[in-house]
Amino acid sequence: MQAKLAEVCSCFRIVGQFDSWEELKVGNINKTYRVTFARENGMKKSYIMQKVNTYVFPHPEQVMENIERVTQHLRAVDPGHAALHYHHTKERKNFIWDGDDIWRMCNYIPSAADVDNRDETLVRNAGFAFGEFQYMLSGFNADELYQTIPDFHNTLKRYEALEAAIRENPVSRAAAMQAEIDYLLSVKEEACLLCRLQAEGKLPLRVTHNDTKVNNVLFDKKDHRALVVIDLDTVMPGLTGNDFGDAIRSVANTAAEDDPDVSHVSCDLELFRAFTDGFLEKTARSLTETEIETLPASCFCLTVELAVRFLTDYLLGDPYFYCAHPEHNRDRTRNQIALAKDIWIKQPQMKQIINACLKEYR
Ligand code: GN1
Ligand code: MG
């Protein structure tokens, strides 16, 4: 790996000699490394090198063009804010193709390692960061962006893919997943609420992040203030509810996303409150009534949607999500279903919490 990383690094305009590397275990899609260069004066400087998953992103050049535009906009809106900056090659491109893979290199922003995702202050700060991200991009023309993954949060299309996988059943896993299949099909109408309202023109399209996990925010080492939102691969036109619901799904789960013991899974309403408070501080004044009203439902929709995606991948033999063991996608599916059921029951409490936050920020 060292030789490969040194080779791809040498294509970018970086000062110094390749010194060391480590793999960072983040995300289910791309491979991420921290690479360190030594300069002549003895100083060392780190960068993030990523291998982009071209199964997931068949048009990486469009992903990188989006990222270039979005990061440029963010840097212009608030020059003092920490920001991602992708380095250029000698040919002034922000990625390389080495014959097998696409690689890209950006600045390394020192941040808190191993943050406690259950810490309410940190979760509130994450909500603020994603709200601020949406706010900072509100002046950005969404038409300029490619759809890097078309229909990414189109729940109806995700269901169609699941239904096809059930029919084709290429690796004979469907029979063992009948209970999960039955549940997901039984809530299809409720889970497709957001995309139905979108099709009816009742929800505005905004520039959204579309992968709002807390580990896509970097935090200050000392005070855990949010520094910057990372992982911009899926920044596309989308719905506020996509970002809000996906964040709650990931942050308020009392278990890890792939915990096979579903008795650990529930939606923690204190963490829900913390994220919501931070998110609404930045967005409350610009959201429409329908957007606000559908925030609790968005948590259900996005959780079911991910369960549908995990199950589809499982039924197809795991082509999409990185799997550490053969039943990884099965466990993820069951976990998200357990969470969806709990979120469904907690809709009234979620509404109350949102209303309390709105009193403060509207
Ligand atoms: C993937 O980027 P990463 O690995 O954190 C996925 C998200 C899922 C998430 C579930 C491009 O995110 O949509 O919510 O896994 N990203 C893509 O952990 O499919
Ligand atoms: Mg991602």
Side-chain angles (χ1 to χ4, degrees), residues 335-348:
N335 183 304
Q336 294 301 298
I337 288 178
L339 183 63
K341 289 179 176 170
D342 195 47
I343 288 177
W344 182 254
I345 296 169
K346 288 175 174 159
Q347 297 283 289

Side-chain angles (χ1 to χ4, degrees), residues 18 20 57 99 121 129 138 178 213 222 312 317 320 343:
F18 185 88
S20 59
F57 298 107
T121 309
S138 56
Q178 199 55 51
K213 302 204 277 200
K222 284 209 194 91
T312 305
Y320 189 99
I343 288 177

Side-chain angles (χ1 to χ4, degrees), residues 265-305:
V265 175
S266 68
C267 177
D268 182 325
L269 287 175
E270 287 315 309
L271 294 178
F272 174 86
R273 184 194 312 276
F275 186 91
T276 303
D277 192 64
F279 188 79
L280 287 180
E281 180 177 348
K282 269 297 184 188
T283 56
R285 281 171 299 275
S286 54
L287 296 182
T288 67
E289 286 316 308
T290 312
E291 283 181 305
I292 298 269
E293 271 166 30
T294 49
L295 287 179
S298 76
C299 306
F300 181 74
C301 296
L302 272 286
T303 308
V304 171
E305 183 189 279

Side-chain angles (χ1 to χ4, degrees), residues 116-120 123 247-272 303 335-336 338-340 342-343 346 350:
D116 173 10
N117 281 0
R118 307 255 167 272
D119 182 276
E120 283 175 28
V123 168
I248 296 303
R249 170 203 77 64
S250 71
V251 80
N253 191 344
T254 49
E257 186 177 278
D258 56 356
D259 189 331
D261 184 348
V262 296
S263 73
H264 296 159
V265 175
S266 68
C267 177
D268 182 325
L269 287 175
E270 287 315 309
L271 294 178
F272 174 86
T303 308
N335 183 304
Q336 294 301 298
L339 183 63
D342 195 47
I343 288 177
K346 288 175 174 159
M350 291 182 165

